[in-house]
């Protein structure tokens, strides 16, 4: 499974995408855990003080927000699922 990373998260992970191995009954949470295990520097960027996904970090599962269109971190994923992780974006 591959995570696509954006903005400064790319720098923390040393790349714009990271492949992770997942087991059969994987969820967004287990895929995120695998990502953070392979790139520990990302944890500081995406987790809050309670070791949970920070409110300002966005996750997309196959282009959709799993918190609005699915079951949040419990959303099921498989090897074909496209995951993306990005910080807030501002512009002017």
């Amino acid at each position: 499974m591959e995570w696509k990373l954006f903005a400064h998260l790319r720098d923390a992970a040393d790349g714009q995408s990271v492949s992770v191995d997942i087991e059969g009954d994987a969820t967004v949470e287990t895929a995120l855990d695998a990502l953070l295990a392979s790139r520990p520097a990302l944890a500081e960027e995406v987790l809050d003080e309670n070791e949970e996904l920070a409110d300002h970090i966005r996750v997309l599962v196959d282009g959709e927000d799993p918190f609005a269109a699915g079951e949040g971190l419990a959303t099921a994923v498989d090897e074909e699922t496209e995951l993306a992780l990005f910080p807030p974006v501002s512009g002017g």
Side-chain angles (χ1 to χ4, degrees):
M1 164 175 295
E2 187 167 284
W3 279 93
K4 296 189 183 298
L5 306 171
F6 296 89
H8 71 277
L9 300 180
R10 289 179 173 176
D11 296 332
D14 293 324
Q16 66 183 14
S17 65
V18 176
S19 294
V20 297
D21 293 324
I22 58 168
E23 298 294 321
D25 291 333
T27 63
V28 173
E29 184 171 23
T30 58
L32 180 61
D33 289 345
L35 173 65
L36 298 179
S38 72
R39 299 295 195 277
L42 273 176
E44 183 177 311
E45 302 293 334
V46 302
L47 299 180
D48 63 17
E49 62 276 354
N50 297 318
E51 300 291 313
E52 295 181 10
L53 187 65
D55 290 338
H56 65 276
I57 297 296
R58 294 294 167 247
V59 176
L60 291 181
V61 177
D62 291 330
E64 295 191 27
D65 180 346
F67 296 94
E71 298 177 24
L73 292 175
T75 301
V77 297
D78 60 33
E79 285 291 334
E80 302 300 315
T81 303
E82 181 180 275
L83 296 169
L85 191 66
F86 56 98
V89 178
S90 62

mmCIF file of all heavy atoms in Angstrom, residues 5-26:
data_model
loop_
_atom_site.group_PDB
_atom_site.id
_atom_site.type_symbol
_atom_site.label_atom_id
_atom_site.label_comp_id
_atom_site.label_asym_id
_atom_site.label_seq_id
_atom_site.Cartn_x
_atom_site.Cartn_y
_atom_site.Cartn_z
ATOM 1 N N LEU A 5 2.241 11.752 0.314
ATOM 2 C CA LEU A 5 2.444 12.789 1.320
ATOM 3 C C LEU A 5 2.597 14.136 0.655
ATOM 4 O O LEU A 5 3.137 14.250 -0.451
ATOM 5 C CB LEU A 5 3.692 12.462 2.146
ATOM 6 C CG LEU A 5 3.702 11.063 2.769
ATOM 7 C CD1 LEU A 5 5.055 10.769 3.373
ATOM 8 C CD2 LEU A 5 2.606 10.932 3.807
ATOM 9 N N PHE A 6 2.150 15.174 1.348
ATOM 10 C CA PHE A 6 2.163 16.516 0.774
ATOM 11 C C PHE A 6 2.820 17.522 1.711
ATOM 12 O O PHE A 6 2.892 17.311 2.916
ATOM 13 C CB PHE A 6 0.725 16.950 0.456
ATOM 14 C CG PHE A 6 0.093 16.087 -0.590
ATOM 15 C CD1 PHE A 6 -0.598 14.946 -0.248
ATOM 16 C CD2 PHE A 6 0.240 16.393 -1.931
ATOM 17 C CE1 PHE A 6 -1.156 14.127 -1.211
ATOM 18 C CE2 PHE A 6 -0.312 15.590 -2.911
ATOM 19 C CZ PHE A 6 -1.019 14.447 -2.551
ATOM 20 N N ALA A 7 3.279 18.606 1.112
ATOM 21 C CA ALA A 7 3.887 19.746 1.811
ATOM 22 C C ALA A 7 5.042 19.286 2.703
ATOM 23 O O ALA A 7 5.837 18.455 2.292
ATOM 24 C CB ALA A 7 2.820 20.532 2.572
ATOM 25 N N HIS A 8 5.127 19.822 3.907
ATOM 26 C CA HIS A 8 6.270 19.513 4.776
ATOM 27 C C HIS A 8 6.295 18.064 5.260
ATOM 28 O O HIS A 8 7.307 17.589 5.749
ATOM 29 C CB HIS A 8 6.332 20.489 5.956
ATOM 30 C CG HIS A 8 5.249 20.294 6.959
ATOM 31 N ND1 HIS A 8 3.995 20.836 6.809
ATOM 32 C CD2 HIS A 8 5.237 19.599 8.119
ATOM 33 C CE1 HIS A 8 3.247 20.484 7.844
ATOM 34 N NE2 HIS A 8 3.982 19.739 8.657
ATOM 35 N N LEU A 9 5.189 17.344 5.094
ATOM 36 C CA LEU A 9 5.188 15.933 5.472
ATOM 37 C C LEU A 9 6.133 15.137 4.568
ATOM 38 O O LEU A 9 6.729 14.152 4.994
ATOM 39 C CB LEU A 9 3.781 15.352 5.416
ATOM 40 C CG LEU A 9 2.755 16.013 6.343
ATOM 41 C CD1 LEU A 9 1.399 15.342 6.196
ATOM 42 C CD2 LEU A 9 3.225 16.007 7.785
ATOM 43 N N ARG A 10 6.285 15.584 3.325
ATOM 44 C CA ARG A 10 7.242 14.948 2.412
ATOM 45 C C ARG A 10 8.656 15.038 2.972
ATOM 46 O O ARG A 10 9.421 14.094 2.897
ATOM 47 C CB ARG A 10 7.204 15.620 1.044
ATOM 48 C CG ARG A 10 5.976 15.341 0.260
ATOM 49 C CD ARG A 10 6.019 16.063 -1.055
ATOM 50 N NE ARG A 10 4.899 15.654 -1.875
ATOM 51 C CZ ARG A 10 4.618 16.154 -3.047
ATOM 52 N NH1 ARG A 10 5.391 17.105 -3.559
ATOM 53 N NH2 ARG A 10 3.585 15.726 -3.728
ATOM 54 N N ASP A 11 8.980 16.202 3.505
ATOM 55 C CA ASP A 11 10.322 16.401 4.063
ATOM 56 C C ASP A 11 10.543 15.492 5.266
ATOM 57 O O ASP A 11 11.604 14.882 5.407
ATOM 58 C CB ASP A 11 10.528 17.856 4.470
ATOM 59 C CG ASP A 11 10.473 18.810 3.279
ATOM 60 O OD1 ASP A 11 10.805 18.386 2.152
ATOM 61 O OD2 ASP A 11 10.087 19.973 3.486
ATOM 62 N N ALA A 12 9.551 15.405 6.131
ATOM 63 C CA ALA A 12 9.679 14.576 7.335
ATOM 64 C C ALA A 12 9.840 13.099 6.984
ATOM 65 O O ALA A 12 10.490 12.354 7.711
ATOM 66 C CB ALA A 12 8.477 14.781 8.250
ATOM 67 N N ALA A 13 9.249 12.676 5.867
ATOM 68 C CA ALA A 13 9.302 11.270 5.463
ATOM 69 C C ALA A 13 10.398 10.994 4.442
ATOM 70 O O ALA A 13 10.574 9.859 4.013
ATOM 71 C CB ALA A 13 7.958 10.857 4.880
ATOM 72 N N ASP A 14 11.122 12.030 4.037
ATOM 73 C CA ASP A 14 12.156 11.886 3.014
ATOM 74 C C ASP A 14 11.601 11.353 1.700
ATOM 75 O O ASP A 14 12.207 10.494 1.059
ATOM 76 C CB ASP A 14 13.298 10.992 3.496
ATOM 77 C CG ASP A 14 14.091 11.619 4.621
ATOM 78 O OD1 ASP A 14 14.279 12.847 4.600
ATOM 79 O OD2 ASP A 14 14.513 10.870 5.524
ATOM 80 N N GLY A 15 10.429 11.832 1.305
ATOM 81 C CA GLY A 15 9.867 11.421 0.024
ATOM 82 C C GLY A 15 8.401 11.765 -0.096
ATOM 83 O O GLY A 15 7.725 11.981 0.897
ATOM 84 N N GLN A 16 7.927 11.806 -1.349
ATOM 85 C CA GLN A 16 6.528 12.162 -1.567
ATOM 86 C C GLN A 16 5.583 10.980 -1.439
ATOM 87 O O GLN A 16 4.366 11.150 -1.379
ATOM 88 C CB GLN A 16 6.345 12.827 -2.914
ATOM 89 C CG GLN A 16 6.611 11.934 -4.106
ATOM 90 C CD GLN A 16 6.473 12.700 -5.403
ATOM 91 O OE1 GLN A 16 6.427 13.928 -5.414
ATOM 92 N NE2 GLN A 16 6.408 11.974 -6.491
ATOM 93 N N SER A 17 6.137 9.761 -1.398
ATOM 94 C CA SER A 17 5.295 8.599 -1.168
ATOM 95 C C SER A 17 6.087 7.563 -0.373
ATOM 96 O O SER A 17 7.309 7.512 -0.440
ATOM 97 C CB SER A 17 4.791 8.008 -2.485
ATOM 98 O OG SER A 17 5.862 7.506 -3.239
ATOM 99 N N VAL A 18 5.335 6.763 0.386
ATOM 100 C CA VAL A 18 5.935 5.721 1.212
ATOM 101 C C VAL A 18 5.077 4.470 1.069
ATOM 102 O O VAL A 18 3.863 4.520 1.266
ATOM 103 C CB VAL A 18 5.994 6.139 2.700
ATOM 104 C CG1 VAL A 18 6.521 5.006 3.565
ATOM 105 C CG2 VAL A 18 6.821 7.404 2.884
ATOM 106 N N SER A 19 5.709 3.369 0.733
ATOM 107 C CA SER A 19 5.010 2.084 0.654
ATOM 108 C C SER A 19 5.083 1.394 2.009
ATOM 109 O O SER A 19 6.128 1.411 2.660
ATOM 110 C CB SER A 19 5.652 1.190 -0.402
ATOM 111 O OG SER A 19 5.463 1.743 -1.675
ATOM 112 N N VAL A 20 3.958 0.818 2.418
ATOM 113 C CA VAL A 20 3.906 0.074 3.677
ATOM 114 C C VAL A 20 3.228 -1.265 3.431
ATOM 115 O O VAL A 20 2.412 -1.415 2.535
ATOM 116 C CB VAL A 20 3.162 0.850 4.798
ATOM 117 C CG1 VAL A 20 3.884 2.140 5.142
ATOM 118 C CG2 VAL A 20 1.723 1.133 4.419
ATOM 119 N N ASP A 21 3.600 -2.250 4.241
ATOM 120 C CA ASP A 21 2.964 -3.562 4.183
ATOM 121 C C ASP A 21 1.836 -3.599 5.196
ATOM 122 O O ASP A 21 1.990 -3.132 6.323
ATOM 123 C CB ASP A 21 3.970 -4.659 4.503
ATOM 124 C CG ASP A 21 5.032 -4.785 3.433
ATOM 125 O OD1 ASP A 21 4.709 -4.600 2.237
ATOM 126 O OD2 ASP A 21 6.190 -5.057 3.785
ATOM 127 N N ILE A 22 0.694 -4.152 4.782
ATOM 128 C CA ILE A 22 -0.452 -4.270 5.679
ATOM 129 C C ILE A 22 -0.936 -5.714 5.686
ATOM 130 O O ILE A 22 -0.677 -6.466 4.763
ATOM 131 C CB ILE A 22 -1.598 -3.318 5.295
ATOM 132 C CG1 ILE A 22 -2.071 -3.581 3.863
ATOM 133 C CG2 ILE A 22 -1.195 -1.871 5.477
ATOM 134 C CD1 ILE A 22 -3.364 -2.909 3.505
ATOM 135 N N GLU A 23 -1.647 -6.068 6.733
ATOM 136 C CA GLU A 23 -2.222 -7.402 6.868
ATOM 137 C C GLU A 23 -3.633 -7.418 6.289
ATOM 138 O O GLU A 23 -4.172 -6.384 5.912
ATOM 139 C CB GLU A 23 -2.246 -7.799 8.343
ATOM 140 C CG GLU A 23 -0.870 -7.881 8.983
ATOM 141 C CD GLU A 23 -0.004 -8.993 8.428
ATOM 142 O OE1 GLU A 23 -0.541 -10.087 8.154
ATOM 143 O OE2 GLU A 23 1.196 -8.758 8.257
ATOM 144 N N GLY A 24 -4.290 -8.561 6.317
ATOM 145 C CA GLY A 24 -5.603 -8.768 5.720
ATOM 146 C C GLY A 24 -6.703 -7.815 6.118
ATOM 147 O O GLY A 24 -7.306 -7.186 5.276
ATOM 148 N N ASP A 25 -7.005 -7.692 7.396
ATOM 149 C CA ASP A 25 -8.115 -6.848 7.844
ATOM 150 C C ASP A 25 -7.618 -5.464 8.225
ATOM 151 O O ASP A 25 -7.840 -4.999 9.345
ATOM 152 C CB ASP A 25 -8.829 -7.487 9.038
ATOM 153 C CG ASP A 25 -9.583 -8.750 8.649
ATOM 154 O OD1 ASP A 25 -9.992 -8.853 7.480
ATOM 155 O OD2 ASP A 25 -9.744 -9.634 9.511
ATOM 156 N N ALA A 26 -6.984 -4.796 7.309
ATOM 157 C CA ALA A 26 -6.373 -3.500 7.599
ATOM 158 C C ALA A 26 -7.408 -2.380 7.595
ATOM 159 O O ALA A 26 -8.444 -2.452 6.935
ATOM 160 C CB ALA A 26 -5.284 -3.199 6.584
#
